[in-house]
Amino acid sequence: MQGRFKRDGSASAEPEPHGGTDRGSSPQHAQNPGSAPAGGGSEQPGHSGASADSPPPPPPPKAAPPITPGTRIALRNWRISTRLVSLLALPVVAATSLGALRISDSMDEMQQLDNMKLLTDMTRQATQLAEALQEERDQSAGPLANGAPGTDLGVKGVRDKTDRARSSFLEGTQALSDASDKGQLSGVRDNVVGIASELSNLSAIRANAYKDPKNSTQTVEAYHRLVAQLLSLSQDMAQATSNPEMIQRTRALSAFSTAKEYASEQRAVIAAALPANNRTFGDLSENDRQYALSALDSQGSELDSFKSIYGTGAEELTKPIDQGSPTIVDADQYASRVLKSSTGLRSQPKRSYRDWVDADTSKLEQMKKIEGTLLEEMEQKARELRSASEREALISGALILLVLGVSLVGAFVVARSMIRSLRRLQETATKVAQERLPELVKQLSEADPQDVDTSVESVGVHSRDEIGQVAAAFDDVHREAVRLAAEQALLRGNVNAMFTNLSRRSQGLIQRQLSLISELESREADPDQLSSLFKLDHLATRMRRNGENLLVLAGEEPGRRWTRPVPLVDVLRAAASEVEQYERIELAAVPATEVAGRVVNDLVHLLAELLENATSFSSPQTKVKVTGHALPDGRVLIEIHDTGIGLSPEDLAAINERLASPPTVDVSVSRRMGLFVVGRLSQRHGIRIQLRPSDSGGTTALVMLPVDVAQGGKKPGAGKPGQGAPQSGGPAAAQAAAGVAAARRQAQQGGPSVGAGASAVAVIGATHGTVF
């Protein structure tokens, strides 16, 4: 079933293929015998010519009576700019004349500086703990990497020092907890809590420290995570102040402390790689070398960042490490040579880890002094700023309360006037957009625009300010939207009327053509000529179905309906007779049930579209099988199986959704007319259609006929149990069954030698007389 629905959606949109096409009659054909009046302009019975006329235009929207907005001096009529000026006038005048507003900033700054002092003390303790962790990591790297136990005096000594620093740090967090309980520094407290939690992992780090001599990076990185969190407290100090100079100093301290940590990492990695004596070369794995080399590069980057942030005086401050003693220079050169070459450790003189740690410790001690200097400068600057803030707060403390009180009252009155109008506008606009307008558009699309009340209710904001102007503009937009919706509804009605008129005219001409072809068929004896006439008859039948598609697009129903039930088998035969490759359609196991007369025409049309799709997009050598199943509840399920290439799950889902909910008629519908027509016809009579993958390949179309359709308008169970195929189709149905049986017997027994064309003619002729 893929081709029609996936590519163009309708067999009627395809050019007629060359070669033999069959033609059969349908209920529509039989119900409209005879020829139409000349010119094809007459309407079908039951449809008046007025359907082609354009309906009168909808009445214009009713304008609401004018409402007086009030005097210009009313507060609600002030311009928004005037309101904003009035809202800000008192605070600005008070700040300019009295300078009172500075008190708030001064008090905030005082509090910030108090918090800064608290954080500075906390940062100093965190820095001391970070230094202890660095010492523990670096001093224990050599012994542990060379097999010394954790109880070694050198290792135990630095670990005890770290434990004391950790206890001191945890005790100092109590003051920070008190400040955060008052609503201050809550973010810093959370960070400190996280650090304290991480410090509990120190025992696990020590237990596995430098176990793998080829991967000292694992231990160094574990210590680094603790140190990095402790150093992050210096960045948190920026939360305690908005002073640019203090923020600059905290950033500088953070950058320098980070550089010091990277220097310590290099000391630890190299120490872990060196032996306990200087009689052998050390062994530095490539992973450890790359890690330490990255630390070396990061150290230089952080020092450059520190100098850039600190500004003037940074060169002088870092002179002890940039132009330090020969010991520092030698240590830096040694580290650079070792780390920048994969064989750097073996290209240098033999050295023990003790010699390396002692040499590099000189540099770290100088960096420790610089770090302490930065902390002292921050504390001094904080004290100076706090003294200045106290003086400013005492100057304007009393006046600020009065000014703020008056400003708040004025701001509240003005803001309240603005907010009420804006809130009303917002609520009304939301209601129009979500409820009123969609409901009105729905009414216009479903009913005659003349019968729909298109008046527009005003927003209700009638002031002269910008808010009132916006409300008036919104009312204009609302009216214009309603007008456009009415015009679209009128346009759809005109298009539907054109569809209907064109289809009626075409059907009249086609009906005359079918009658003339039938007359020629009855007089022709030559099998070849008769076969050609049947091809013309079939093409005309398909043209008639195209015209019926236009009626479906326009929402019209058949002009004539059957007044009596028709056997389902005859409905299926009629649908098959409208398909070009009718001989590939195989009916099997059709239940003995009748279709309600009011549904026969539409059901034949629906099934013909599905069968056309199944035969067009499956192999010509295969059969399209049609079966039916009577369900216990009275419904009937018709299955149409083809062996085409099938559809993907996504395409099946999209097609089934369109079948269940046919879209609005537009250009895309015209390109997928078959899909739309099937959906519209099934929706009209409550018939459910679904496409599913076939077990043997291809696609299966399931057509579920409801009880009121499948039982000929009767309640289920009204017939006699075990009754065979019904004979209630009238004489035409009996004639069709006999004709088809005779044609098949003639083809099997080798009757008169008229060739394959004669057999096809017999079947078509029999089917032509089936019901219609």
Side-chain angles (χ1 to χ4, degrees), residues 113-195:
L113 292 171
D114 288 339
N115 293 336
M116 175 62 72
K117 182 179 182 304
L118 178 62
L119 281 178
T120 303
D121 295 338
M122 180 60 62
T123 302
R124 184 179 292 277
Q125 293 176 347
T127 302
Q128 292 173 355
L129 178 56
E131 291 173 355
L133 288 169
Q134 291 169 349
E135 285 292 322
E136 176 182 331
R137 174 184 61 194
D138 303 350
Q139 295 290 346
S140 62
L144 293 177
N146 283 275
T151 57
D152 183 80
L153 292 179
V155 176
K156 188 175 185 303
V158 292
R159 289 182 175 181
D160 291 342
K161 182 179 178 180
T162 301
D163 291 339
R164 290 192 295 270
R166 178 173 60 176
S167 300
S168 177
F169 172 78
L170 295 176
E171 291 175 0
T173 59
Q174 184 60 42
L176 183 63
S177 299
D178 296 339
S180 59
D181 290 340
K182 299 176 182 178
Q184 306 164 358
L185 306 179
S186 57
V188 179
R189 183 187 64 174
D190 295 339
N191 193 9
V192 170
V193 171
I195 293 173

Side-chain angles (χ1 to χ4, degrees), residues 327-626:
T327 304
I328 296 177
V329 173
D330 177 70
D332 288 343
Q333 292 177 351
Y334 180 79
S336 178
R337 293 168 184 164
V338 167
L339 298 177
K340 291 184 178 180
S341 174
S342 59
T343 60
L345 197 61
R346 294 186 176 273
S347 64
Q348 299 300 312
K350 297 177 181 178
R351 199 170 191 174
S352 67
Y353 68 81
R354 293 184 181 88
D355 296 338
W356 158 248
V357 171
D358 292 342
D360 199 50
T361 299
S362 300
K363 176 182 177 180
L364 290 173
E365 286 295 330
Q366 291 296 333
M367 297 183 77
K368 178 180 178 182
K369 292 179 181 178
I370 296 173
E371 194 175 41
T373 301
L374 294 175
L375 283 169
E376 290 175 0
E377 290 179 354
M378 290 179 57
E379 292 175 348
Q380 180 63 27
K381 188 61 180 180
R383 287 192 292 267
E384 293 175 359
L385 292 174
R386 192 181 192 286
S387 298
S389 298
E390 285 180 351
R391 288 193 298 269
E392 291 181 1
L394 291 175
I395 294 174
S396 54
L399 293 178
I400 190 61
L401 296 177
L402 177 63
V403 173
L404 287 178
V406 175
S407 300
L408 288 174
V409 172
F412 175 77
V413 173
V414 176
R416 185 170 178 269
S417 173
M418 298 174 61
I419 289 173
R420 284 196 304 179
S421 297
L422 289 172
R423 185 173 297 162
R424 183 183 183 95
L425 176 60
Q426 183 267 334
E427 292 175 352
T428 306
T430 302
K431 188 173 184 180
V432 167
Q434 297 180 356
E435 299 178 13
R436 296 180 188 173
L437 190 57
E439 181 62 27
L440 183 59
V441 171
K442 182 179 179 182
Q443 293 178 5
L444 289 172
S445 64
E446 296 177 352
D448 190 338
Q450 295 181 352
D451 300 333
V452 180
D453 182 11
T454 58
S455 61
V456 174
E457 182 181 350
S458 175
V459 172
V461 179
H462 307 290
S463 56
R464 293 180 178 176
D465 63 350
E466 285 82 352
I467 300 177
Q469 294 174 9
V470 171
F474 179 80
D475 289 340
D476 293 340
V477 171
H478 189 187
R479 293 189 188 95
E480 184 66 14
V482 172
R483 185 185 68 79
L484 291 175
E487 289 183 357
Q488 289 182 356
L490 177 61
L491 178 61
R492 283 194 298 270
N494 291 337
V495 171
N496 289 342
M498 288 190 295
F499 280 173
T500 302
N501 195 13
L502 290 174
S503 178
R504 300 295 185 197
R505 291 170 182 267
S506 299
Q507 281 187 321
L509 293 174
I510 294 172
Q511 192 62 49
R512 292 174 58 192
Q513 182 180 4
L514 286 172
S515 299
L516 179 60
I517 293 173
S518 297
E519 183 178 352
L520 292 175
E521 290 172 350
S522 63
R523 298 175 183 177
E524 184 61 53
D526 186 355
D528 294 334
Q529 294 296 329
L530 190 59
S531 177
S532 298
L533 289 174
F534 277 126
K535 292 177 184 178
L536 291 175
D537 197 342
H538 180 74
L539 291 176
T541 302
R542 295 185 66 188
M543 291 171 61
R544 182 186 60 200
R545 198 164 78 234
N546 285 345
E548 293 170 354
N549 287 344
L550 290 178
L551 288 178
V552 175
L553 291 177
E556 294 290 333
E557 295 190 4
R560 293 182 178 180
R561 294 180 177 179
W562 286 73
T563 58
R564 60 188 180 186
V566 175
L568 176 60
V569 65
D570 293 334
V571 173
L572 291 172
R573 288 170 181 163
S577 69
E578 294 194 4
V579 178
E580 178 182 4
Q581 304 178 49
Y582 72 93
E583 70 280 356
R584 292 175 51 205
I585 299 174
E586 180 179 289
L587 302 182
V590 179
T593 185
E594 296 180 335
V595 177
R598 59 182 174 80
V599 189
V600 169
N601 288 349
D602 288 343
L603 184 57
V604 170
H605 191 165
L606 183 152
L607 292 172
E609 291 287 350
L610 294 176
L611 290 171
E612 187 76 51
N613 184 76
T615 57
S616 298
F617 300 99
S618 60
S619 175
Q621 290 76 29
T622 61
K623 293 288 186 179
V624 174
K625 297 183 179 180
V626 182

